[in-house]
């Protein structure tokens, strides 16, 4: 893992101005946040800086204002929610640079926290404009990035600021990077990857990267259908990208050469209609799917065998559910495999890292979210990391 500075590397920061990039892009319902997980994640960093006497200025984006001010997309909308989590009052500052920010800093006492307005009100943010970053940097003494979820974007406050101020990874950012490194950077082998979800096309780059890095590639979900079809299986009415069967075959060849075993289901749960507990529900061998049936989950025998594969592994990285888990009973394979992974993690034999919007929901549904070694809530950034791409926000911290 490339090295980066953390809050441990800060000297005396009493009275210094910390510019802290956090993720406050909270889902809203009726004027307040419906989920404050992102604030909880940034809380240790914010409070640590405040307790050490810094004047903490929070930088965040909120929605997609497209480079213009918009009253409903002001970060002032989340002041109450952030205060609730932090247990401290915030000073809202309706700018990100310039004299209004400078005056506000004059009013803040050491250990106080200010929230700057939505960084995306200014076109310079998404353009990663150096002048814009410099103008923000002028009011700060150092920069802390605690928003891993935005690290796949090279924007002024996620990347550019690191070129104008001493830059540090916040606590959440540091924990995320450590977990991701343990899963795919320098993992203990053998490594298993579970890749599921709806479509191969959205995860091609992920698959290509993984075949060269893991010993076991477990493919489930809708994407398994495309791989099964590539192997000559008739998948009936299943979700399947028939135009990608050549690609699927190429990935399986690459896996072969790299010594990676690809695991596809050999039994499956099928139904004629996509509904909860349908009358036509049955479990069958993959070669017995009728032309009017759809594969909606991995079968119980395959799940058991996959559990045995995990027992031989030291590391697991997981993205994508094994079946259409939102609809019962097509959550069974995802839940069973997640429980096996969680139990192995708790026994200490497996390091397990998972991420992806639906994956986090599926693990929560299985009741094992807290039993994995690390669950990343960063959707896009997590996937780009699984693709093996360098994230600009992370690279800038390592420079
Ligand atoms: P993530 O958000 O974790 O990256 P994806 O968005 O790629 O995951 O995929 C999740 C979706 O895949 C879920 O909505 C799930 O219902 C769907 N899915 C999984 N297996 C199947 C299947 N066999 N047929 C149709 N949809 C499926
Ligand atoms: Mg998704």
């Amino acid at each position: 893992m490339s090295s980066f500075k953390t809050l441990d590397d800060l000297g005396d920061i009493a009275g210094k101005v910390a510019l802290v990039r956090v993720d406050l892009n909270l889902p809203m319902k009726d004027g307040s946040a419906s989920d404050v997980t992102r604030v909880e994640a940034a809380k240790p960093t914010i409070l640590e800086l405040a307790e050490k006497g810094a004047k903490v200025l929070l930088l965040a984006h909120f929605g997609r204002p497209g480079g213009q001010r918009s009253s409903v997309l002001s970060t002032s909308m989340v002041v109450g929610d952030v205060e609730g989590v932090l247990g401290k009052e915030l000073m809202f500052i309706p700018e990100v640079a310039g004299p209004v920010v400078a005056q506000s800093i004059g009013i803040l006492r050491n250990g106080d926290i200010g929230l700057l307005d939505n960084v995306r009100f200014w076109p310079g943010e998404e353009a990663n404009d150096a002048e814009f970053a410099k103008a923000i940097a002028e009011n700060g003494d150092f920069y802390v990035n605690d928003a891993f979820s935005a690290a796949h974007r090279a924007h002024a406050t996620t990347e550019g600021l690191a070129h104008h101020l001493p830059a540090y990874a916040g606590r959440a950012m540091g924990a995320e990077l450590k977990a991701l490194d343990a899963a795919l950077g320098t993992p203990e082998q053998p490594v298993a990857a579970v890749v599921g979800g709806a479509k191969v096309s959205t995860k091609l780059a992920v698959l290509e990267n993984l075949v060269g890095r893991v010993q076991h590639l477990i493919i489930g979900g809708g994407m398994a259908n495309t791989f099964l079809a590539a192997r000559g299986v008739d998948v009936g009415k299943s979700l399947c990208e028939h135009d990608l069967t050549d690609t699927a075959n190429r990935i399986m060849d690459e896996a072969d050469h790299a010594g990676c075993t690809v695991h596809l289901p050999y039994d499956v749960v099928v139904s004629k209609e996509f509904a909860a507990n349908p009358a036509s529900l049955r479990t069958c061998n993959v070669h017995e799917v009728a032309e009017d049936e759809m594969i909606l989950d991995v079968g119980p025998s395959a799940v058991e065998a996959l559990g045995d594969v995990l027992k031989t592994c030291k590391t697991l990285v997981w993205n994508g559910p094994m079946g259409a888990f939102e609809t019962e009973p097509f959550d069974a394979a995802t839940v069973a495999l997640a429980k096996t992974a969680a139990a192995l993690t708790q026994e200490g034999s497996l390091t397990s890292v998972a991420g992806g919007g639906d994956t986090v929901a599926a693990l929560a549904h299985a009741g094992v979210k807290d039993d994995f070694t690390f669950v990343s809530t960063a959707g896009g950034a997590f996937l780009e990391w699984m693709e093996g791409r360098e994230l600009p926000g992370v690279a800038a911290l390592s420079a």
Side-chain angles (χ1 to χ4, degrees), residues 189-273:
Q189 296 190 343
V191 185
V194 170
V195 185
K199 289 179 170 184
V200 172
S201 52
T202 59
K203 295 187 182 171
L204 265 182
V206 170
L207 293 165
E208 306 254 16
N209 182 42
L210 290 177
V211 289
R213 287 172 175 261
V214 306
Q215 284 69 52
H216 295 278
L217 179 59
I218 295 170
I219 301 179
M223 52 199 302
N225 303 336
T226 300
F227 281 82
L228 288 169
R231 288 212 171 150
V233 171
D234 188 346
V235 297
K237 268 200 326 176
S238 303
L239 175 66
C240 178
E241 293 168 289
H242 291 282
D243 54 325
L244 286 179
T245 50
D246 286 348
T247 308
N249 275 320
R250 195 190 72 234
I251 289 170
M252 287 191 279
D253 284 345
E254 284 169 16
D256 237 15
H257 284 120
C260 166
T261 308
V262 176
H263 301 267
L264 293 174
Y266 48 82
D267 65 336
V268 285
V269 180
V270 299
S271 148
K272 290 195 212 303
E273 67 268 272

Side-chain angles (χ1 to χ4, degrees), residues 55-57 91 93 104-110 112-114:
K55 297 183 179 185
V56 182
L57 292 187
M91 177 195 245
I93 304 165
S104 304
I105 291 167
I107 298 166
L108 290 172
R109 295 157 305 176
N110 292 1
D112 280 352
I113 304 166

Side-chain angles (χ1 to χ4, degrees), residues 72-315:
V72 293
L73 294 179
S74 166
T75 54
S76 61
M77 303 289 286
V78 298
V79 166
D81 294 299
V82 177
E83 288 180 333
V85 173
L86 297 181
K88 289 191 76 151
E89 256 181 55
L90 293 186
M91 177 195 245
F92 174 70
I93 304 165
E95 294 289 338
V96 287
V100 171
V101 177
Q103 283 154 20
S104 304
I105 291 167
I107 298 166
L108 290 172
R109 295 157 305 176
N110 292 1
D112 280 352
I113 304 166
L115 173 62
L116 302 174
D117 215 339
N118 188 345
V119 292
R120 291 191 182 168
F121 283 177
W122 291 269
E125 168 64 6
E126 291 177 75
N128 198 7
D129 178 59
E131 288 306 313
F132 179 64
K134 209 170 138 205
I136 298 173
E138 261 159 29
N139 285 313
D141 293 304
F142 62 97
Y143 165 66
V144 176
N145 189 350
D146 212 25
F148 175 82
S149 56
H152 57 314
R153 314 249 187 246
H155 293 172
T157 62
T158 63
E159 200 274 345
L161 271 179
H163 302 293
H164 299 280
L165 287 172
Y168 302 85
R171 297 300 182 198
M173 172 74 91
E176 180 103 25
L177 294 178
K178 194 173 151 221
L180 299 190
D181 189 62
L184 272 189
T186 50
E188 261 195 271
Q189 296 190 343
V191 185
V194 170
V195 185
K199 289 179 170 184
V200 172
S201 52
T202 59
K203 295 187 182 171
L204 265 182
V206 170
L207 293 165
E208 306 254 16
N209 182 42
L210 290 177
V211 289
R213 287 172 175 261
V214 306
Q215 284 69 52
H216 295 278
L217 179 59
I218 295 170
I219 301 179
M223 52 199 302
N225 303 336
T226 300
F227 281 82
L228 288 169
R231 288 212 171 150
V233 171
D234 188 346
V235 297
K237 268 200 326 176
S238 303
L239 175 66
C240 178
E241 293 168 289
H242 291 282
D243 54 325
L244 286 179
T245 50
D246 286 348
T247 308
N249 275 320
R250 195 190 72 234
I251 289 170
M252 287 191 279
D253 284 345
E254 284 169 16
D256 237 15
H257 284 120
C260 166
T261 308
V262 176
H263 301 267
L264 293 174
Y266 48 82
D267 65 336
V268 285
V269 180
V270 299
S271 148
K272 290 195 212 303
E273 67 268 272
F274 185 21
N277 304 303
S280 58
L281 182 76
R282 68 182 191 110
T283 298
C284 66
N285 183 282
V286 286
H287 295 288
E288 294 164 0
V289 179
E291 63 177 20
D292 59 348
E293 286 179 322
M294 308 175 251
I295 301 172
L296 290 165
D297 200 13
V298 172
S301 305
V303 172
E304 206 177 313
L306 294 173
D308 289 338
V309 171
L310 294 190
K311 285 177 192 147
T312 70
C313 291
K314 289 261 182 260
T315 306

Side-chain angles (χ1 to χ4, degrees), residues 314-343:
K314 289 261 182 260
T315 306
L316 166 67
V317 51
W318 184 329
N319 169 258
M322 302 296 283
F325 77 100
E326 301 93 336
T327 310
E328 284 192 16
F330 308 112
D331 58 338
T334 306
V335 169
L337 196 62
K339 283 189 168 162
T340 301

